[in-house]
Amino acid sequence: MPPQDPIITKEYVGHIPISSSSFHDAGAQFVLESKGKWWHAGYHLTTAIVGPTILTLPYVFRGLGWGLGFVCLTVMGLVTFYAYYLMSLVLDRCERQGRRHIRFRELAADVLGSGWMFYFVVFIQTIINTGISIGSILFAGQCLQIMYTSLSPHGTMQLYQFIAMVTVVMILLSQFPSFHSLRYINLGSLLLALGYTFLVVGACIHAARSKHAPPRDYSLDSSEGIRVFNAFNSISIIAAIFGNGILPEIQATLAPPATGKMFKGLLVCYTIISITFYAVAIPGYYVFGNKSGPNILENFLSEDGPSLAPEWVLAVAVVFILLQLFAIGLVYSQVAFELMEKKSADPKQGKFSKRNLVPRIILRTIYMVICGFLAAMLPFFGDISSVVGAIGFIPLDFILPMLLYNMTHKPSKKSAVYLVNITIIITFTGAGLLGAVSSFRKLILDAKEFKLFSNNIVN
């Protein structure tokens, strides 16, 4: 039997029966409290997906070319929207049957009925969420370092010192008690993403008209083998960019009944995605072609000549990115906070009672300190993240939703829905394996540059 919370009786919220075990679960009551509106879910989803990783999209096109790049970005956007919608339908169905799942791991264990699947989802989700929290602190530290070096080119402060500063801020922000309490922070995150997207577009227009712009070359690598590796590495990056992995936890923040609300939240999120993803990918690749780097902002800086964009534009973009990274780190820390609160808090006492407040402060501080330490120790974490994306996001976001839908809704094996789901499962299982190989290859190639507590991030 899969690990489950004991179900004692049923209570009712409106017309939706929920397990009374939730009333004895501090993680559910305090961290995943269900008070949100559908537009709040849209804010959470947007923060979980639309982040500074979109600045790698011109680099993704560099590995795929114009045609395949546009097709892969569009297809994977449609597939993830479809997958997240199917997962919301699975959650809605379980809710109507009296089992409102607020955690990915419990949904998988209930539907698949296998203990090992519970632990598989826990492992993958923990790796992804902790990895993104570490990465957010690392890259926020890099943003501070960039601002510092621009103001003080000969300064002596090191990357780990900026990471320590970011960690202190994250410790303070982590004391927001629930996922729902982040709704306005995540609205700000959405606006910040739009802000630096438009700044990048403006910078690209400025660079394209500059006499110092690099010659445009969109050719792929001459070696067929390297082209294949680059293509699958690019596909893995797109999968990681579209990855979410916490949709059930986001849907848990909705006030019950949640039926139908998540679809509206997804529309909000994918409206922002359709604006930001293409707005960064197309102008960035158009201007820099196969010279596009993993962070398009770095392409505007030239060691041999003037900047290809106004420095104030790049500075404001870096500030926007820095601020958004705090929100992203908070969102992906909620699963860890929920696990800690479930074990440490007493649901019979108030959320802000001394009994629950003290353990919350201590445990969340320890978690952020650990993430900050790992960020400082592993400045090459970006390469590790690409591997995690290939082996983590693809199973959670491109395979499990279709499998869960087929098992709960049981469409006919001859129906279009069933065949589409099976096709997606098979296709992305293969893409995930090949993407993992490509990501491991890049990790190995970059290994010679890895140095613990280095002052430079390996791209």
Side-chain angles (χ1 to χ4, degrees):
M1 291 291 292
Q4 294 179 0
D5 290 328
I7 297 178
I8 303 170
T9 59
K10 287 182 179 177
E11 302 287 344
Y12 286 81
V13 178
H15 299 290
I16 304 299
I18 61 175
S19 162
S20 68
S21 64
S22 64
F23 295 101
H24 302 278
D25 183 341
Q29 279 195 50
F30 299 157
V31 181
L32 298 178
E33 62 177 351
S34 303
K35 294 183 177 180
K37 307 294 185 182
W38 62 264
W39 54 89
H40 297 150
Y43 304 159
H44 300 323
L45 282 165
T46 303
T47 299
I49 299 176
V50 184
T53 50
I54 67 174
L55 300 178
T56 66
L57 286 172
Y59 176 76
V60 166
F61 272 49
R62 168 183 167 178
L64 295 168
W66 275 116
L68 191 56
F70 189 86
V71 168
C72 285
L73 187 62
T74 303
V75 168
M76 293 182 81
L78 293 172
V79 169
T80 51
F81 181 89
Y82 175 69
Y84 296 147
Y85 177 59
L86 289 189
M87 187 175 291
S88 73
L89 294 180
V90 172
L91 289 163
D92 290 346
R93 186 183 184 90
C94 291
E95 181 175 322
R96 289 195 298 271
Q97 294 173 348
R99 307 185 315 279
R100 188 182 188 202
H101 293 298
I102 60 174
R103 302 173 177 97
F104 204 143
R105 59 188 184 273
E106 293 171 356
L107 172 66
D110 179 22
V111 176
L112 300 175
S114 172
W116 71 266
M117 182 55 68
F118 177 90
Y119 292 108
F120 171 77
V121 173
V122 169
F123 175 75
I124 293 295
Q125 197 181 38
T126 301
I127 291 294
I128 288 174
N129 293 349
T130 305
I132 293 176
S133 297
I134 294 169
S136 297
I137 292 174
L138 172 61
F139 293 113
Q142 185 190 33
C143 288
L144 283 178
Q145 185 186 40
I146 290 170
M147 289 188 285
Y148 172 75
T149 53
S150 65
L151 295 173
S152 179
H154 304 292
T156 58
M157 292 185 69
Q158 301 292 302
L159 177 61
Y160 72 87
Q161 293 172 293
F162 299 108
I163 289 173
M165 295 177 192
V166 171
T167 303
V168 171
V169 176
M170 289 298 295
I171 288 171
L172 296 174
L173 293 175
S174 69
Q175 304 309 320
F176 278 88
S178 69
F179 205 153
H180 177 64
S181 65
L182 303 179
R183 60 195 181 280
Y184 296 119
I185 289 178
N186 290 336
L187 170 59
S189 169
L190 183 156
L191 297 174
L192 289 167
L194 288 173
Y196 63 72
T197 295
F198 293 141
L199 288 170
V200 168
V201 172
C204 286
I205 294 172
H206 186 278
R209 300 169 67 178
S210 170
K211 63 181 180 180
H212 300 288
R216 296 186 188 113
D217 182 358
Y218 308 111
S219 61
L220 302 178
D221 197 281
S222 58
S223 168
E224 184 175 352
I226 293 177
R227 285 202 304 273
V228 171
F229 276 118
N230 289 343
F232 279 104
N233 187 56
S234 294
I235 291 171
S236 295
I237 293 172
I238 296 176
I241 292 173
F242 274 109
N244 180 340
I246 54 172
L247 187 138
E249 286 80 4
I250 292 175
Q251 186 155 331
T253 66
L254 291 168
T259 302
K261 295 177 182 176
M262 203 60 178
F263 179 72
K264 296 178 182 178
L266 283 167
L267 289 178
V268 171
C269 175
Y270 274 77
T271 298
I272 303 301
I273 285 174
S274 65
I275 295 170
T276 56
F277 281 41
Y278 292 106
V280 171
I282 294 174
Y285 185 60
Y286 171 76
V287 174
F288 297 105
N290 58 17
K291 301 297 182 183
S292 300
N295 183 342
I296 194 62
L297 292 181
E298 295 180 355
N299 281 98
F300 295 106
L301 303 174
S302 174
E303 296 180 359
D304 304 324
S307 171
L308 294 176
E311 291 186 3
W312 70 266
V313 170
L314 302 180
V316 173
V318 170
V319 172
F320 284 2
I321 291 166
L322 169 65
L323 295 175
Q324 195 200 24
L325 284 166
F326 289 122
I328 293 170
L330 286 176
V331 162
Y332 279 96
S333 296
Q334 295 307 304
V335 174
F337 295 164
E338 177 269 316
L339 279 168
M340 293 187 290
E341 208 108 337
K342 182 177 181 180
K343 299 295 183 182
S344 66
D346 181 357
K348 297 178 183 178
Q349 300 193 40
K351 183 189 303 183
F352 298 105
S353 66
K354 184 177 179 181
R355 161 65 182 81
N356 291 329
L357 186 61
V358 172
R360 179 186 304 136
I361 293 172
I362 293 173
L363 290 172
R364 294 188 181 192
T365 298
I366 291 172
Y367 177 80
M368 286 302 174
V369 168
I370 292 172
C371 289
F373 177 78
L374 291 174
M377 186 175 71
L378 306 172
F380 45 87
F381 195 78
D383 275 2
I384 298 174
S385 297
S386 65
V387 176
V388 172
I391 65 176
F393 277 122
I394 287 181
L396 286 187
D397 296 323
F398 292 86
I399 297 174
L400 270 178
M402 287 69 179
L403 183 61
L404 295 174
Y405 181 87
N406 283 354
M407 295 187 70
T408 55
H409 288 71
K410 296 180 171 55
S412 167
K413 293 185 177 180
K414 296 181 180 179
S415 67
V417 171
Y418 182 86
L419 295 175
V420 167
N421 289 351
I422 292 298
T423 301
I424 291 173
I425 289 171
I426 294 172
T427 301
F428 282 95
T429 297
L433 292 173
L434 292 170
V437 171
S438 299
S439 300
F440 272 115
R441 174 180 174 273
K442 186 175 187 301
L443 187 70
I444 293 168
L445 291 174
D446 289 346
K448 61 181 181 296
E449 300 179 44
F450 294 168
K451 183 180 178 182
L452 297 180
F453 298 102
S454 170
N455 193 44
N456 298 304
I457 291 179
V458 177
N459 289 316

